[in-house]
Amino acid sequence: MVRERVRTGPRPGVLGVVSVLLGTGLGEVVAAFLLPSASPFAAVGGALIDIAPSWAKDTAIAWFGTGDKAALLVGIAVVLLAVAFAAGMLERRRPPLGAVAFAALGVVGAVIAVVRSDRALLAAIPALLASGVAALTVRGLISLSEREEEPERRRFLVWTAVATASGLLALAVSNVARTASQSVETIRSALRLPKPATAAPQVPQAAELGIPGLAPVVTPNADFYRIDTALIVPQVDPADWSLRVHGMVDREVVLTWDDLLASPLQEADVTLACVSNTVGGDLIGNARWLGLPVRDVLTRAGVHADADMVLSTSIDGFTASTPLEALTDERDSLLAVGMNGEPLPVEHGFPVRLVVPGLYGYVSATKWVTELEVTRFDRATAYWTTRGWSERGPIKLQSRIDVPRGSVDAGEVVIAGMAWQQHVGVDGVEVRIDGGEWQRATLAAAISDDTWVQWHLAWTAESGSHEIECRAIGADAVTQTDAAAPPAPDGATGWHRITIAVR
Ligand SMILES: Nc1nc2c(c(=O)[nH]1)N[C@H]1C(S)=C(S)[C@@H](COP(=O)(O)O)O[C@H]1N2
Ligand SMILES: [Mo]
């Protein structure tokens, strides 16, 4: 027994290093996509730096140059790998102490990441994942390495190779993802957008009822729904961005970021909605957008009289087909650069996206937009229209009950919700309880016809189970239909119906 242990040499230490490589690799990938500030490498490395003796720090700096950021990171990596090596040796001699050491390091890393990050518990995930994977890997590989039989030996070699390769690959992926996202987010957060040439009127105070549980009439960017086909959010540097307007036009126009910002910008409150929103669903949000009217660039290009559609393309290849008329009529269709007073968040299309009042997002709201092709509906289709969704996508009249939810105490209860039919407007909302008479709810002040509107109704609730339904009446005097339709191909219809238990 003792002789065998001596014979193993440095191999367990190397396996410790492989395990840490795999663990931190996976942790880094998860952090890069989940929450870049929770990088376990940075967290654990930072902790090691804090506790490392100064001679170690000095040696690392002496080896790798004069204390710049890269040298510091290399230094952290060296210390981390040294600890990994030691933990591997320990695991061989006193199992499972090596694995326990990794787990402890992970807990320390998780605590540090949580403390350093503003997003609390989520930040613990990458470090815990990294240390868990490292602990399991070191246990598995070392116990496999002790088997002398041929199939086990081969399995050991294969697993060691797989773990090493996966760890290196994961580190490379996370590195690419992080450098890309950090640089564009850095550029974005340093940006100051110009003031609008045409400002939107102030949101009336009476547009916000302030009822707990009711959606706010202006959706904070952080809560705004997000829908797109992008697996990795495109990272577009405004300096590299341009918009090409071509197709059925008199002259091609290329607009740069500076051109765009130098143009007179307009502000507009517009509620975006997804065609996939189900009755009562929350794939809808309202924001104050700042941008250049699309009409202006189309006028510069000179649109041909027989064109009837604009095919917009994003940097990642998504396309949307928008009726030309919706971009040239009086409505506030924008090449938007701002959302609620800040540059577009990266996941909402930074630096430039389309916003068209009255149309579902799939036919209008192209994020990271780089191209407008003026064409015809009988000549081109777009991403979703090629997949069976309707060519035209006007937003349908809808209403939703936000409160109450679940159960309430008997007595005075506020029923409240949202109603919308962008670019047409909402005239009223009716509510009925247990299939009784329709009662007129009170509408909050509307921001505009292009936005949703809040509504409320007082209800004296008696104990038992009750069904509440709502329906809107459009500004065109048409009442919302009860005919149930699914989202495909052109938007869900039907009344929102909820059941409430009254105690
Ligand atoms: N580039 C790109 N833009 C896109 C999409 C997409 O998949 N890719 N999805 C569209 C759809 S279906 C909707 S509903 C809106 C959603 O915009 P949001 O994520 O800012 O809420 O974006 C639209 N713009
Ligand atoms: Mo959508």
Side-chain angles (χ1 to χ4, degrees):
M1 272 306 241
V2 171
R3 246 194 304 134
E4 198 184 302
R5 273 185 189 158
V6 171
R7 255 200 299 145
T8 8
R11 190 164 69 181
V14 173
L15 296 178
V17 168
V18 167
S19 306
V20 159
L21 197 64
L22 180 64
T24 39
L26 295 179
E28 288 299 325
V29 168
V30 170
F33 292 103
L34 185 73
L35 185 60
S37 64
S39 149
F41 182 72
V44 174
L48 283 173
I49 284 233
D50 288 345
I51 60 168
S54 56
W55 62 261
K57 292 181 217 178
D58 294 344
T59 311
I61 290 169
W63 280 354
F64 300 108
T66 49
D68 69 299
K69 195 78 166 279
L72 189 66
L73 287 175
V74 174
I76 295 170
V78 168
V79 174
L80 187 60
L81 293 180
V83 169
F85 186 91
M89 297 305 284
L90 185 61
E91 174 67 21
R92 174 67 177 78
R93 231 148 269 172
R94 295 258 156 84
L97 281 190
V100 168
F102 282 152
L105 213 55
V107 171
V108 172
V111 169
I112 291 168
V114 168
V115 170
R116 287 187 179 177
S117 157
D118 49 355
R119 263 212 255 168
L121 291 179
L122 194 66
I125 294 172
L128 292 180
L129 176 83
S131 65
V133 167
L136 291 178
T137 308
V138 80
R139 293 229 67 185
L141 288 182
I142 286 182
S143 76
L144 256 186
S145 76
E146 281 169 25
R147 311 286 287 270
E148 300 285 3
E149 312 89 296
E150 191 43 43
E152 263 78 13
R153 247 183 54 80
R154 200 161 335 116
R155 260 174 57 205
F156 163 68
L157 291 177
V158 167
W159 280 115
T160 306
V162 166
T164 309
S166 316
L168 289 174
L169 182 68
L171 281 177
V173 168
S174 69
N175 210 39
V176 169
R178 182 186 333 283
T179 44
S181 76
Q182 270 183 348
S183 53
V184 169
E185 182 50 46
T186 308
I187 292 166
R188 175 188 173 273
S189 47
L191 262 177
R192 293 288 164 269
L193 294 176
K195 292 230 176 315
T198 316
Q202 238 192 336
V203 171
Q205 245 170 34
E208 178 54 67
L209 297 171
I211 296 170
L214 175 63
V217 72
V218 178
T219 314
N221 289 354
D223 301 338
F224 210 95
Y225 81 97
R226 177 188 161 200
I227 293 283
D228 54 59
T229 58
L231 260 188
I232 296 172
V233 179
Q235 306 290 326
V236 185
D237 182 341
D240 301 333
W241 177 89
S242 68
L243 178 80
R244 186 172 152 242
V245 186
H246 63 110
M248 299 171 72
V249 294
D250 295 337
R251 57 207 153 261
E252 217 175 282
V253 169
V254 175
L255 195 74
T256 66
W257 175 249
D258 289 340
D259 297 338
L260 206 171
L261 290 198
S263 310
L265 302 185
Q266 183 183 340
E267 238 176 20
D269 295 308
V270 178
T271 301
L272 280 193
C274 183
V275 69
S276 298
N277 199 23
T278 50
V279 173
D282 58 5
L283 299 180
I284 176 166
N286 182 52
R288 172 158 290 193
W289 308 94
L290 173 71
L292 177 65
V294 185
R295 194 190 309 117
D296 292 1
V297 280
L298 291 179
T299 306
R300 285 188 221 173
V303 169
H304 293 177
D306 51 342
D308 66 2
M309 186 261 269
V310 171
L311 188 72
S312 53
T313 304
S314 77
I315 198 145
D316 66 344
F318 171 87
T319 52
S321 50
T322 310
L324 179 62
E325 166 191 283
L327 301 174
T328 53
D329 66 14
E330 85 308 332
R331 83 185 79 188
D332 298 326
S333 294
L334 299 177
L335 280 160
V337 295
M339 180 176 185
N340 289 331
E342 45 176 282
L344 290 179
V346 175
E347 66 273 24
H348 292 292
F350 182 79
V352 185
R353 76 173 304 169
L354 277 174
V355 171
V356 179
L359 303 182
Y360 287 121
Y362 82 106
V363 290
S364 69
T366 304
K367 306 191 271 190
W368 315 289
V369 65
T370 56
E371 215 181 295
L372 300 181
E373 181 189 355
V374 179
T375 178
R376 296 176 50 87
F377 276 106
D378 59 16
R379 288 187 196 165
T381 55
Y383 188 91
W384 287 113
T385 59
T386 307
R387 288 163 174 79
W389 293 75
S390 174
E391 186 171 85
R392 307 281 167 148
I395 294 173
K396 295 178 179 176
L397 178 62
Q398 263 299 334
S399 55
R400 177 181 94 186
I401 303 160
D402 283 9
V403 285
R405 290 255 151 135
S407 61
V408 292
D409 289 330
E412 282 303 303
V413 170
V414 179
I415 302 172
M418 313 299 295
W420 60 90
Q421 186 177 30
Q422 288 90 311
H423 209 57
V424 175
V426 174
D427 248 15
V429 168
E430 294 177 330
V431 174
R432 74 175 176 186
I433 291 153
D434 300 328
E437 288 289 297
W438 285 104
Q439 306 172 54
R440 196 85 179 186
T442 306
L443 287 190
I447 299 177
S448 82
D449 284 348
D450 293 340
T451 65
W452 61 4
V453 60
Q454 297 180 336
W455 57 265
H456 68 110
L457 178 76
W459 172 44
T460 309
E462 288 170 12
S463 58
S465 174
H466 299 284
E467 184 188 71
I468 309 176
E469 297 166 289
C470 71
R471 66 180 187 189
I473 296 121
D476 52 5
V478 175
T479 299
Q480 182 185 333
T481 178
D482 186 33
D490 61 357
T493 59
W495 293 335
H496 191 207
R497 221 169 250 123
I498 63 166
T499 304
I500 292 292
V502 180
R503 293 177 293 248

